[in-house]
């Protein structure tokens, strides 16, 4: 048995994870530079091999490191290592990859650009608790919980309030499941919902929903500021109010004006704080979160304490009406003072000054008793039965307690300010819109994905846990509020019945001030967070460069802080502040957040149903049905809360979508909408495969054959103009061209040609596809295009090609031979053919014909193409005002009068409006002019043939001298077809002038006069004379009737079966169309394309 020894192989190059040639890692975290979009670029290695740049690897200078991979172990792959890196190098970059966005470094920490570049990037180290759970709690718990939840419970009742909470929390939970699936499907850079939606649904949806999310976050900052100002002016320092009401009717407007002034001041201060440094906001975040938690704990503590010792908050009732408690001191009509019964302050409010016996009092006040009830009966009081059902109020309706007796009497209007009344009309749908913002904030974890140690684990767990926690708090709070607090107090939005105390504060322990101060600081903190996040979101959208007019907001301070975006955010938030009502701003941001959540669910559902290969989320507890349910709930909540706001929000998103689509977002993010389009296209194509379209559905699906010049510019762009006018954006248009050469050598040229054609298509507004093929011969390339263009049922049925101008003057027959070969191929493939002659005289798209005719010369029936084409052209604004005339040719034995009637009836049944004329062509002798034209044509053909033969002889001699040691099969110099000149390969190659060669040359010279004599004595072929006669006669008639027509459509005769007559065929077509400015030669595809039936 042989003995083996293992010896380590030593390479000259180090085998460590060194930098690979052409590839270097770029850290995007700490520099404020604007890097190009490194996710969507495609480059080439110069050999036709495309390579897509990785989102984490970037090309760099590596000339000094070439030997790193040219080692013996990888010699087989060394030529491709610049585009296919070593696995070790790839993995080393993957380990070092970070997803923190650039521009996150604060101005205060940035001493110099060089120092920041040298600084080692800090690795993300946040876990689930600090990175996702607590930030989500802070964002979800907000102003609505402290200021409006008690009021919602009082208006809707416990049952409907639980339903509201369940709907909103279910919606956010389903959205969180979808978001978790998207967030765990690969690395999510810091960008949150915008990044997930745009990369899943494409730039159009991403831009639209990203802006909606931005507007929602901006209005959220306005809502939090309004909540803070409401707490400040109502409960903290009411004396700070600038505007005061002169009577009870002006109190609302005075309050709104105060909110506007203080809200604007607060917004300005917050904007300055955000501008100076976000680090202060982040440092205070923990403090604000502590305020929220302490406030919620105090509510639970107060509810438990109310079981045994309910807090003392008496409510004064007049009959069953609730009185504003701070307008008087004692809840009684009279008081005993010095053993005398005297009127109380309450009496003075309802009665004119005087003694008790006078009758100058409010009727309702006189007939009803004043009673005092407990505002917070406590958990054991059984008040939950009364608060179980809803009690919606109209604006201005007085809060009443149903159990108390009340005499039916009308009170004076001037005393209305003594009662607690509803400030707005309430309904279930309104309350849904107001409550929903308290369920938002679930994106806080995904927004911080760049700071998380393991984002794919932390985001799902932290977000779902936070939603579960907040949902339990909301459910329990609804039950506790309904079980502990009197119904009229719950319905009292601003605490007027409990001496202007915050209603939720009356339940808290140890003091109402815990809730007031805690809620004030928490709303300030939430407003700062929103004002910090919104500009960064706008900056991310602007830097993606999908909405051109937002480009300026991508710039900021040297450290990347979004200054311009912050300015715009402040202006939009000011609009929310000027609304000044928390109850009106809340439904607005509900719409925008619901729109965002709807598309998160849609993104997950689309990706799941398409089963794209890249859809492999680590979070497994999702399903497309859950995503669709979440999407449906979002849509339902939008219209439930406010149908007109929903329409406005969807309109804004729709306009942004169409704007991005119109501008042409040149982004390819591998989004699901592209995959959806692909699946839909595949399904439609398979359906179309069933059979050819019915005549009623037939429309010209064009293959436009273009010719390019030496600089790869389109030679006749008016062909594209004509195609766009004929199609008007409907149906299929394929623009094809042929480049002569070898595919391997001409790949770059082919790409350049494709780009040139696409640019011209965009200029001419042709919607379609471009296909350029490389072939050794142009004729073969055209045949390939005719055979292979299109896919399945979406194939062309009509070919549009240009006329070979100058074919008479050129000795090179390739142009017209290719033309005739294309005509034959279209006929063999049963395709229609259109040849616009004098196409440079055709109108451009901006031109308009205000009058004139489109003349159709219907000589033979060819499937009805001649009738259909003018109708389609008249749909375009260039030809719309032209009239249509149809001429047909009658022979001597035809009844021209009956033909005209029949043709008019036929057009009537086709629903085509046109003038009808029948042209009679009498039999006449062949004129001398016709005979002479035929003779000239044949003499020219014979002479050119002899010239080409002699030229071929000279070329052959030169080639034989040049190729000394090879046997070459010769071809014509002027033809790209090998079979043009047929001769046998020489048996032996003669390299010197021999006697036989000299004699042959002498014979050729002697034959020259004989060839000339043959040309002189040539007699024209009779069939050619007949054809020329027809062409001349038809041309005379057409020119006579249609010399001033805007366009003449004419049946195109087919090429002769005998290939020898090809050149004569070209001459016949020239004669047929002489003297006409714009001619469209039309040849049908052998099937009916128009029908009289519906």
């Amino acid at each position: 048995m042989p003995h083996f020894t293992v010896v380590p192989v030593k390479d000259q190059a180090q085998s460590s994870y060194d930098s690979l040639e052409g590839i270097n890692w770029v850290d995007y975290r700490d520099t404020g530079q604007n890097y190009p979009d490194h996710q969507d670029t495609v480059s080439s290695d110069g050999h036709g091999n495309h390579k897509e740049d990785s989102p984490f690897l970037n090309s760099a200078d590596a000339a000094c490191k070439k030997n790193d991979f040219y080692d013996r172990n990888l010699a087989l792959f060394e030529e491709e290592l610049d585009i296919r890196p070593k696995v070790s190098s790839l993995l080393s970059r993957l380990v070092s990859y970070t997803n923190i966005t650039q521009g996150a470094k604060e101005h205060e920490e940035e001493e110099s650009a060089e120092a920041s570049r040298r600084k080692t990037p800090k690795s993300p180290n946040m876990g689930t608790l600090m990175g996702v759970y607590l930030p989500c709690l802070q964002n979800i718990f907000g102003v609505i919980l402290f200021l409006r939840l008690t009021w919602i419970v009082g208006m809707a009742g416990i049952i409907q309030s639980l339903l509201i909470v369940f709907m909103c929390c279910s919606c956010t939970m389903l959205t969180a499941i979808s978001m978790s699936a998207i967030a765990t499907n690969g690395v999510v850079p810091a960008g949150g919902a915008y990044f997930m939606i745009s990369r899943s649904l494409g730039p159009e949806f991403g831009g639209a929903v990203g802006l909606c999310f931005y507007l929602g976050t901006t209005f959220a900052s306005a809502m939090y500021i309004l909540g803070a100002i409401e707490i400040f002016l109502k409960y903290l320092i009411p004396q700070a109010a600038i505007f005061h009401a002169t009577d009870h009717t002006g109190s609302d407007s005075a309050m709104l004006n105060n909110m506007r002034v203080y809200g604007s001041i607060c917004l300005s201060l917050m904007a300055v704080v955000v501008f100076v440094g976000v680090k202060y906001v982040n440092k205070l975040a923990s403090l604000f979160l502590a305020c929220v938690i302490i406030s919620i704990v105090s509510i639970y503590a107060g509810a438990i304490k109310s079981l045994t010792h309910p807090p003392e908050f008496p409510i004064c009732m007049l009959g069953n009406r609730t009185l504003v408690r701070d307008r008087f001191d004692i809840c009684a009509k009279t008081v005993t003072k010095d053993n005398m019964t005297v009127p109380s302050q309450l009496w003075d409010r309802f009665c004119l000054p005087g003694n008790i016996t006078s009758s100058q009092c409010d009727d309702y006040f006189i007939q009803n008793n004043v009673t005092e009830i407990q505002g917070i009966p406590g958990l054991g009081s059984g008040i939950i039965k009364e608060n179980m059902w809803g009690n919606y109020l109209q604006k201005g309706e007085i809060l009443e307690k149903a159990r108390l007796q009340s005499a039916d009497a009308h009170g004076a209007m001037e005393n209305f300010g003594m009662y607690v009344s509803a400030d707005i009309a309430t309904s279930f749908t309104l309350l849904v819109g107001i409550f929903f913002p308290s369920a938002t904030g679930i994106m806080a974890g995904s927004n911080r994905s760049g700071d998380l140690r393991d984002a794919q684990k932390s985001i799902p767990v932290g977000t779902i846990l936070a939603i579960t926690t907040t949902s339990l708090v909301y459910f329990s709070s609804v039950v506790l509020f309904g079980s502990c607090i009197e119904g009229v107090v719950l319905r009292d939005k601003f605490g007027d019945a409990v001496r202007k105390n915050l209603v939720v504060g009356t339940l808290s322990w140890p003091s109402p001030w815990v809730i007031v101060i805690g809620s004030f600081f928490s709303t300030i903190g939430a407003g700062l967070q929103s004002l910090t996040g919104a500009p960064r979101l706008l900056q991310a959208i602007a830097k993606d460069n999908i909405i051109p007019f937002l480009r300026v907001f991508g710039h900021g301070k040297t450290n990347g802080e979004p200054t311009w975006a912050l300015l715009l955010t402040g202006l939009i938030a000011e609009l929310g502040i000027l609304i000044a009502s928390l109850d009106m701003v809340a439904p607005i941001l509900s719409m925008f957040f619901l729109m965002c959540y709807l598309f998160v669910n849609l993104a997950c559902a689309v990706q799941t149903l398409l089963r794209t290969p890249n859809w492999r989320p680590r979070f497994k507890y999702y399903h497309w049905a859950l995503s669709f349910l979440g999407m449906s709930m979002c849509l339902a909540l939008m219209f439930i809360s406010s149908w007109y706001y929903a329409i406005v929000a969807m309109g804004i998103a729709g306009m942004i979508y169409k704007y991005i689509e119109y501008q042409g977002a040149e982004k390819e993010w591998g989004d699901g909408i592209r995959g959806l389009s692909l699946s839909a296209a595949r399904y439609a194509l398979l359906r179309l495969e069933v059979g050819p379209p019915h005549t009623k559905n037939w429309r010209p699906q064009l293959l436009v054959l273009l010719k390019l010049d030496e600089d790869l510019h389109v030679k006749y762009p008016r062909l594209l103009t004509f195609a766009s006018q004929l199609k008007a954006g409907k149906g299929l248009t394929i623009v094809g061209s042929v480049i002569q050469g070898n595919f391997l050598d001409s790949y770059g040229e082919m790409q350049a040609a494709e780009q040139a054609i696409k640019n011209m298509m965009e200029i001419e507004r042709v919607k379609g596809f471009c296909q350029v093929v490389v072939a050794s011969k142009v004729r073969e390339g055209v045949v390939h295009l005719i055979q292979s263009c299109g896919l399945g049922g979406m194939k062309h049925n009509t070919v549009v090609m240009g006329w070979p101008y100058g074919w008479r003057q050129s000795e090179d027959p390739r142009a017209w031979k290719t033309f005739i070969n294309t005509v034959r191929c279209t006929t063999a493939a049963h395709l229609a053919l259109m040849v616009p002659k004098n196409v440079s005289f055709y109108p451009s798209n901006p031109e308009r014909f205000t009058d004139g005719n489109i003349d159709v010369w219907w000589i033979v029936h060819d499937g009805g193409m001649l009738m259909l084409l003018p109708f389609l052209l008249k749909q375009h604004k260039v030809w719309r005002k032209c009239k249509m005339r149809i001429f047909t040719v009658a022979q001597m034995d035809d009844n021209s009068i009956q033909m005209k009637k029949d043709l008019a009836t036929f057009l009537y049944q086709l629903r085509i409006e046109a003038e009808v004329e029948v042209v009679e062509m009498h039999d006449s002798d062949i004129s001398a002019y016709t005979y002479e034209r035929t003779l000239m044509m044949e003499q020219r053909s014979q002479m050119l043939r002899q010239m080409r033969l002699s030229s071929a002889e000279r070329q052959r001699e030169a080639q034989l001298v040049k190729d000394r040691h090879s046997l070459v099969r010769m071809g014509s110099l002027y033809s790209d077809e090998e079979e043009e000149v047929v001769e046998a390969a020489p048996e032996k190659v003669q390299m010197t002038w021999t006697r036989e060669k000299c004699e042959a040359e002498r014979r050729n010279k002697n034959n020259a006069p004989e060839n000339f004599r043959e040309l002189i004595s040539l007699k024209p072929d009779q069939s050619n004379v007949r054809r020329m006669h027809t062409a001349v006669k038809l041309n005379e008639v057409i020119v006579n009737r249609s010399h001033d027509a805007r366009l003449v459509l004419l049946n195109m005769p087919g090429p002769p079966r005998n290939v020898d007559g090809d050149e004569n065929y070209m001459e016949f077509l020239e004669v047929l169309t002489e003297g006409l400015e714009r001619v469209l030669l039309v040849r049908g595809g052998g099937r009916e394309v128009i029908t009289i039936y519906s």
Side-chain angles (χ1 to χ4, degrees), residues 90-110:
L90 175 71
L91 292 178
S92 66
R93 273 69 179 177
L94 275 172
V95 169
S96 305
Y97 174 62
T98 177
N99 56 359
I100 302 176
T101 57
Q102 67 259 32
K105 196 173 247 325
E106 293 304 316
H107 177 67
E108 292 80 2
E109 298 175 359
E110 190 181 51

Side-chain angles (χ1 to χ4, degrees), residues 73-147:
N73 296 331
L74 296 178
L76 279 175
F77 305 96
E78 63 186 14
E79 292 185 358
E80 292 185 318
L81 278 176
D82 56 339
I83 57 171
R84 292 176 173 85
K86 289 191 295 184
V87 174
S88 60
S89 301
L90 175 71
L91 292 178
S92 66
R93 273 69 179 177
L94 275 172
V95 169
S96 305
Y97 174 62
T98 177
N99 56 359
I100 302 176
T101 57
Q102 67 259 32
K105 196 173 247 325
E106 293 304 316
H107 177 67
E108 292 80 2
E109 298 175 359
E110 190 181 51
E111 296 175 1
S112 67
E114 290 78 11
S116 68
R117 286 193 197 97
R118 286 196 303 266
K119 202 165 187 180
T120 306
K122 191 167 136 185
S123 61
N125 55 4
M126 280 192 175
T128 303
L129 182 69
M130 295 301 295
V132 180
Y133 180 70
L134 292 179
C136 281
L137 280 187
Q138 184 182 4
N139 280 267
I140 295 172
F141 286 135
V143 65
I144 302 296
L145 171 64
F146 303 116
L147 293 185

Side-chain angles (χ1 to χ4, degrees), residues 512-636:
W513 288 102
V514 175
I515 289 283
V516 172
I517 296 172
S519 60
F520 177 74
F521 281 114
S522 71
T523 49
I524 290 288
L528 279 172
Q529 292 283 356
S530 298
L531 211 55
T532 304
R536 279 161 177 71
L537 182 60
L538 181 62
Q539 188 182 40
I541 298 171
K543 283 189 174 180
D544 266 344
N545 201 20
I546 56 175
I547 305 175
F549 68 83
L550 292 180
R551 201 170 295 153
V552 65
F553 299 109
H555 307 295
K557 291 194 290 186
T558 53
N559 62 340
E561 286 299 310
T563 310
W564 293 106
L566 177 62
L567 181 63
L568 179 66
T569 303
L571 293 175
I572 296 174
E574 180 62 25
L575 295 177
I577 298 292
L578 293 177
I579 294 173
S581 171
L582 184 68
D583 303 319
M584 292 182 68
V585 174
I588 295 176
L589 66 100
S590 293
M591 289 305 117
F592 291 124
F593 278 123
L594 280 167
M595 182 82 72
C596 176
Y597 296 166
L598 184 148
F599 282 102
V600 169
N601 285 298
L602 176 63
C604 180
V606 166
Q607 298 276 27
T608 307
L609 287 175
L610 288 178
R611 295 174 181 168
T612 50
N614 194 50
W615 180 247
R616 303 184 299 274
R618 289 191 177 277
F619 181 76
K620 300 299 181 185
Y621 306 102
Y622 70 94
H623 194 270
W624 64 266
L626 291 177
S627 299
F628 268 113
L629 181 61
M631 188 175 66
S632 306
M633 288 192 70
C634 289
L635 194 62

Side-chain angles (χ1 to χ4, degrees), residues 996-1046:
E996 292 83 359
K997 192 69 181 171
C998 290
E999 291 176 358
E1001 185 67 21
R1002 196 178 293 114
R1003 280 197 302 273
N1004 286 338
K1005 288 180 180 178
N1006 293 334
N1007 286 338
E1010 293 177 12
N1011 294 338
F1012 182 73
R1013 282 194 294 272
E1014 284 179 13
L1015 288 175
I1016 298 299
S1017 61
L1018 188 69
K1019 290 185 178 181
D1021 184 79
Q1022 288 305 312
S1023 63
N1024 287 340
V1025 172
R1026 282 201 326 275
R1027 290 187 175 91
M1028 183 64 76
H1029 175 67
T1030 303
V1032 169
K1033 291 290 290 181
L1034 275 175
N1035 180 255
E1036 286 178 4
V1037 175
I1038 294 170
V1039 171
N1040 185 35
R1041 300 295 184 96
S1042 302
H1043 61 277
D1044 58 347
R1046 299 294 188 188

